[in-house]
Amino acid sequence: MPRQSRTSGSTSRGTSTRKDILAAAVSLASVEGLESLSIGTLASELGMSKAGLFAHFGSKEALQVATVEAARLVFTEEVLVPARGRPPGLPQFQAYIDTYLSYVQRRVHPGGCFFTAMSIEFDDRRGPVRSQVRAFAIECRDLLEQTIREAQSLDQIHAWVDPAQVVFEATALVRGTIVSYQLLRDPILIQRARLGIEGLLERVRVAPPASELRPAMRRGAERA
Amino acid sequence: MPRQSRTSGSTSRGTSTRKDILAAAVSLASVEGLESLSIGTLASELGMSKAGLFAHFGSKEALQVATVEAARLVFTEEVLVPARGRPPGLPQFQAYIDTYLSYVQRRVHPGGCFFTAMSIEFDDRRGPVRSQVRAFAIECRDLLEQTIREAQSLDQIHAWVDPAQVVFEATALVRGTIVSYQLLRDPILIQRARLGIEGLLERVRVAPPASELRPAMRRGAERA
DNA sequence: CCTACCGATCGGTAGG
DNA sequence: CCTACCGATCGGTAGG
């Protein structure tokens, strides 16, 4: 089998190739990590030469940085943008949780959450990749905290609640879920995460709708 | 600098060397991962030859398996054993959470939680290492669920509570905390995790001691 | 436990 | 974007 079909419609020739490379790099890196991802493997997967691929980036580190940036764009498109459109405050916060869990469950990347994998891989190394991952983590955290503050100003969440604490608990729960889910692949874990989030929000929500009882902790609690 | 001092007191000669190798392997793997850990690097760090080290295991995979097993023993010693001695039920459950967070905070391994790192690294690969990591995860989950059942039979936790759900929420929260903590290195995250666990247990605990109010979500909630 | 070596692959370069 | 190559390192082996 020679080469590969070059029918991935994008802008110009060189840009298209670069995008194809980065799409494959994000995919591979989500599974094997960014350090184990080799230029040779990546090139042969795309049917091009090692040196040809290398020329697009100039160093492995530059390829890694570009890969993280590409993954950030995917995450923004798949998780942040859909939730951003929801009504402000609590619904939007819940939407962020949902789109994040869905991003993992739909297997947007074969290795699960790209940034969780990169976080574990680079948390002990200095350099631009760790900086990127840290910056994005803080960016997302701030975004969610702002959503909680909006929920408070809309009287959906009690004013005495610390936004940082709610956001921390929700994101830690979801991130921990993702780690376990990738290992065990049991969809019930995603369900349990949703129940956990409901229980957490129950504690801070103003005037919960009496029509629903949300027995998150109850035995055999299942979604309808 | 030739060789290294061989004064790590253990049983026989060969066993001692093997233990030294595995201690270094666990330490290195917690930072770089088990796949990136190379036999050459490990050997030179211990001041021995590559072939000499290799002879102890016969293959890289066997070294990896032995490393995970060694890490399991450390985890048992550092996390499970100390908590096991606490009073049964809720105090024991809380002790497991505490010793686990402490295991990360005390940096028992330089890379944080060994099994979280291995979980992320091997969740997409078949083979004995993933099996080990999975088996240990399930073992710990079952252990914690048993503790919750004991707490129920001791009337510390309500009978209507689903042990699997409590254990899931607590461990997901802690695991997510560990991922964030390793990346951001902010001790407040550990504190927030403890508050989150308190809040979670508050919902399921029987007859909370009226002497304390546990305002886990409140702004500026700090430990004494 | 060692030295010496194997073929394969790594990131990166030369030159086109 | 290619072929051809560099020195270094990989897991693993031979032989002692």
Side-chain angles (χ1 to χ4, degrees):
Chain A
M1 206 199 301
R3 293 295 172 271
Q4 280 193 348
S5 60
R6 285 286 161 71
T7 42
S8 52
S10 250
T11 42
S12 68
R13 179 48 29 112
T15 319
S16 159
T17 306
R18 203 186 135 98
K19 283 179 80 168
D20 290 347
I21 293 169
L22 290 175
V26 169
S27 206
L28 259 172
S30 78
V31 173
E32 310 185 342
L34 259 180
E35 212 67 57
S36 299
L37 180 144
S38 90
I39 294 168
T41 305
L42 189 55
S44 79
E45 182 143 322
L46 290 156
M48 64 189 293
S49 72
K50 221 177 66 171
L53 191 151
F54 187 86
H56 281 278
F57 304 97
S59 75
K60 187 174 178 180
E61 194 175 72
L63 167 64
Q64 291 178 330
V65 167
T67 302
V68 173
E69 176 59 18
R72 199 179 65 79
L73 291 178
V74 172
F75 193 92
T76 301
E77 203 59 42
E78 298 287 335
V79 178
L80 303 185
V81 169
R84 199 174 282 163
R86 298 296 304 278
L90 199 47
Q92 195 167 113
F93 183 81
Q94 288 170 311
Y96 279 121
I97 302 291
D98 273 345
T99 53
Y100 186 25
L101 285 170
S102 159
Y103 159 85
V104 173
Q105 207 170 17
R106 285 183 293 130
R107 298 191 111 45
V108 169
H109 311 298
C113 174
F114 182 90
F115 285 94
T116 300
M118 294 309 106
S119 180
I120 293 284
E121 186 174 3
F122 286 89
D123 56 15
D124 296 305
R125 315 180 196 220
R126 292 169 279 95
V129 173
R130 184 178 69 170
S131 298
Q132 283 176 295
V133 175
R134 273 185 165 165
F136 191 50
I138 289 168
E139 200 179 307
C140 288
R141 184 199 62 191
D142 291 346
L143 181 73
L144 287 171
E145 288 185 9
Q146 186 51 39
T147 310
I148 294 294
R149 277 190 290 271
E150 276 170 25
Q152 288 178 312
S153 75
L154 290 168
D155 209 34
Q156 295 164 338
I157 286 183
H158 290 292
W160 51 260
V161 168
D162 179 2
Q165 181 68 23
V166 193
V167 168
F168 174 81
E169 289 187 27
T171 53
L173 176 62
V174 172
R175 213 180 265 262
T177 298
I178 285 167
V179 174
S180 295
Y181 177 74
Q182 279 298 115
L183 183 66
L184 302 173
R185 302 291 162 103
D186 186 348
I188 204 172
L189 302 184
I190 305 287
Q191 222 175 91
R192 290 201 186 284
R194 293 190 203 277
L195 287 174
I197 295 292
E198 281 180 36
L200 195 157
L201 292 178
E202 212 170 318
R203 285 190 278 154
V204 298
R205 190 189 272 132
V206 173
S211 57
E212 199 194 344
L213 259 170
R214 279 168 272 96
M217 278 290 175
R218 280 204 142 76
R219 274 179 210 278
E222 306 284 304
R223 315 212 95 220
Chain B
M1 206 201 298
R3 292 297 172 272
Q4 279 193 346
S5 60
R6 284 289 162 69
T7 43
S8 53
S10 249
T11 43
S12 68
R13 176 52 23 117
T15 319
S16 159
T17 307
R18 203 187 135 100
K19 284 178 80 167
D20 291 346
I21 293 169
L22 290 175
V26 169
S27 205
L28 259 172
S30 78
V31 174
E32 310 184 342
L34 260 180
E35 212 67 57
S36 298
L37 180 143
S38 90
I39 294 168
T41 306
L42 189 54
S44 79
E45 182 142 322
L46 289 155
M48 63 189 292
S49 71
K50 219 177 67 170
L53 190 152
F54 187 85
H56 281 279
F57 304 98
S59 75
K60 186 173 179 183
E61 193 175 72
L63 167 64
Q64 291 177 328
V65 167
T67 302
V68 174
E69 176 59 18
R72 199 179 63 81
L73 292 177
V74 172
F75 192 93
T76 300
E77 204 59 43
E78 298 287 335
V79 178
L80 304 185
V81 169
R84 200 174 282 163
R86 299 297 304 279
L90 198 48
Q92 196 167 114
F93 183 81
Q94 288 170 311
Y96 279 121
I97 303 291
D98 273 345
T99 53
Y100 187 26
L101 285 170
S102 161
Y103 159 86
V104 173
Q105 207 169 15
R106 286 183 293 131
R107 298 191 112 47
V108 170
H109 310 298
C113 175
F114 182 89
F115 286 94
T116 300
M118 295 309 106
S119 180
I120 293 285
E121 186 174 4
F122 286 89
D123 58 13
D124 296 305
R125 312 180 197 219
R126 293 168 279 96
V129 173
R130 184 179 69 170
S131 298
Q132 285 175 292
V133 175
R134 273 185 164 167
F136 191 51
I138 289 168
E139 200 179 308
C140 289
R141 184 199 62 192
D142 291 347
L143 181 73
L144 288 171
E145 288 185 9
Q146 186 52 39
T147 310
I148 294 294
R149 277 190 291 270
E150 276 170 27
Q152 288 179 311
S153 74
L154 290 168
D155 209 35
Q156 296 164 338
I157 285 182
H158 289 293
W160 51 260
V161 167
D162 179 2
Q165 182 68 23
V166 192
V167 169
F168 174 82
E169 288 186 28
T171 52
L173 176 62
V174 171
R175 212 180 266 264
T177 298
I178 286 167
V179 174
S180 294
Y181 177 74
Q182 279 300 114
L183 182 67
L184 302 174
R185 302 292 161 103
D186 186 348
I188 204 175
L189 302 185
I190 306 285
Q191 221 177 93
R192 290 202 186 284
R194 292 190 204 277
L195 288 174
I197 296 291
E198 281 180 36
L200 194 158
L201 293 177
E202 213 171 315
R203 286 189 278 154
V204 298
R205 191 190 271 135
V206 173
S211 56
E212 201 193 344
L213 259 172
R214 280 169 270 100
M217 278 291 175
R218 281 204 141 76
R219 273 178 213 278
E222 305 283 304
R223 314 212 100 219

